Amino acid sequence: SLIIFFILFFCCATISFAAEEASPVEINGDQVEYSVTDNIVTVTGNVIVKRTGVTLSCDRLEFDRTQNVGIAEGNVVLVRDGSQLTGDKMIYNFTTLKGDFIEAKITSDPFYGAGKTITKVGEKHIILKDGYITTCDLDHPHFKLKSSKVDIYLGDKAVARNVTMVFGKVPVLFL
């Protein structure tokens, strides 16, 4: 038991957990703590989480093994099927592959965007709120379409209403 303690807390730890009828979630980090009573794993430092086709990296993660839900904070990056979501904080269900990003950015060819929240509601459906989308890949895009809500269908289209087209910092068209 002392060897297990040493491995978990003083080395880069790797833990895999399997939810019922789901592929395992592998969690790596500098420090890993496990609460037996709450069935929650807390990981800090260089956190990497992998589940079939999904990779999450962050500074800190609290993972509920019962619900298969992770709350990630600090430099959060989620990569899946060529799309990347980044943000300050994320709540993500590794069973349903759905979740919410706070103060987030999206990269999913041909779209780039940012919003106060980005919600992954389906396998190929993302809702961006209070933000913008563009096809310009610069950090400060030449042009963007601002909207209170944008539905992005990965690999297909983006649908927005009440749109303001902005060139640089100048709004030029209200749709």
Side-chain angles (χ1 to χ4, degrees), residues 90-110:
M90 180 205 67
I91 301 169
Y92 192 76
N93 185 311
F94 284 88
T95 302
T96 64
L97 303 178
K98 296 177 182 177
D100 295 309
F101 272 82
I102 311 301
E103 296 300 327
K105 292 183 179 182
I106 181 171
T107 302
S108 181
D109 193 33

Side-chain angles (χ1 to χ4, degrees), residues 2-13:
L2 185 58
I3 293 172
I4 292 173
F5 177 81
F6 178 80
I7 291 170
L8 287 176
F9 294 100
F10 295 109
C11 295
C12 271

Side-chain angles (χ1 to χ4, degrees), residues 137-150:
D137 64 353
L138 298 175
D139 287 338
H140 301 285
H142 296 100
F143 63 93
K144 55 189 168 189
L145 301 173
K146 292 177 73 174
S147 179
S148 60
K149 180 184 174 195
V150 180

Side-chain angles (χ1 to χ4, degrees), residues 120-153:
K120 190 166 184 328
V121 294
E123 185 175 336
K124 301 243 179 215
H125 184 196
I126 292 173
I127 297 174
L128 184 148
K129 291 192 178 173
D130 297 320
Y132 71 87
I133 60 166
T134 183
T135 55
C136 178
D137 64 353
L138 298 175
D139 287 338
H140 301 285
H142 296 100
F143 63 93
K144 55 189 168 189
L145 301 173
K146 292 177 73 174
S147 179
S148 60
K149 180 184 174 195
V150 180
D151 286 278
I152 299 173
Y153 299 90

